[in-house]
Amino acid sequence: GSAPPGIVASLSGDVAIASGPITPCVVAVVDRFGTDVVSFLDHCAGEVVSQVDVGSSFRANPHDVLRIDERRVLVSRHEPNPGADDPLTAGNDLLVVDWREGEVLHAIDLSALDAEVDGERLPARPSRVAPLGRLVVIGLGRASLDFMVSGPGAVAVLDPESGDLEALTLDGLEGCDEVDAAPGGDATLVTCGPAFVQEDARRAGAGLATLGLDGGEVVVRHVWRAAEHPEAPVFNAWGVPLSADRVVAVAMGDLREGVNDRVAVIDLPSGRVEPLFEAGSAFVV
C-alpha cells in the first residue's frame, strides 16, 4: 500500500506466489480469481517491475508463472472463456509474457487437451507449472465448470522452443493439477485428486506420481494411488518432493465429516506412508 498503484492498488484475498523465482531478486505474485493480475516484484530493490493484466475481459484465474528465458515467462490461466472471439481472451491456456515490459506476447491454446466424461466436455484447466530438463510440465485440472466432475488424470508436456505440446496420461488418477520440481531438477512430482467432494469420493482418483526423463522423453517413474492403500489418508492436495522417490504429501480434510488435514512422508517405490502430523481442522494446511 506504500507504493504507487499500477493496474491494481492492493492484493485480493486469493493470492499465490509463483512456484519459482523469475530472477534471484524478482518474484511473481499471482492475484487470482476475479483480479487476474500478475505483479513482478523486485524484493532487492523494493519496487514493482511490472504488472500484467491477464484477464481483463473475463475471470481468467491465473495459477502459476514460470520463467523460460531472460525475457519471457509462461502464465497458466485456469478458466476457459466460452464466449471468446480472440485467442488472447480464450483462457484455458498458457500466456507467453514479456515480464520486463509487462506485455502479453501470445497464447498457447490447451483446449486440444480437454477431456470428456459422460458427454460433458471438461476444460484442460492448466494450473501449476514446473521445469523438467528443457521441457515444461503443466498440471491439468480437467474439471467441469463447477469443479464437481473430474476427468482422466494427465499432465501437459511443452517444449518451449519448438512449441510442441502433448498430454501424458496418468492411469487411475484424476484432477492432476499440482506439479512440483524435485531437488536437482531431474524429477517432477504430480499430485492428483478431486478437491470439492467428500473424502470417500476422492479416493478413487487421488494419488501421486513422479516423472523423469529417459532419452529426452518424459516418463512415469512411480505412482502411488490412494485406491490401492485403503488404510491411508487420501493424499490429494499438495506435495513437496524431497527427492525423486520421497515426498511430503497433504491429505485435505472434510469439514462436513469432521476429518482433519493430515501430512505424511511417502516413499513412492515401496508405497510406505510415514505420518507426520494431523491438524486441528480441515482446510488449514
Side-chain angles (χ1 to χ4, degrees), residues 110-130:
L110 294 191
S111 63
L113 306 185
D114 291 355
E116 187 172 303
V117 173
D118 296 331
E120 181 177 5
R121 191 170 184 83
L122 308 179
R125 289 192 180 275
S127 184
R128 294 270 286 185
V129 186

Side-chain angles (χ1 to χ4, degrees), residues 170-198:
L170 298 171
D171 293 333
L173 300 175
E174 58 187 57
C176 300
D177 59 356
E178 176 79 10
V179 297
D180 297 278
D186 62 344
T188 300
L189 171 67
V190 185
T191 308
C192 305
F196 300 108
V197 295
Q198 290 180 306

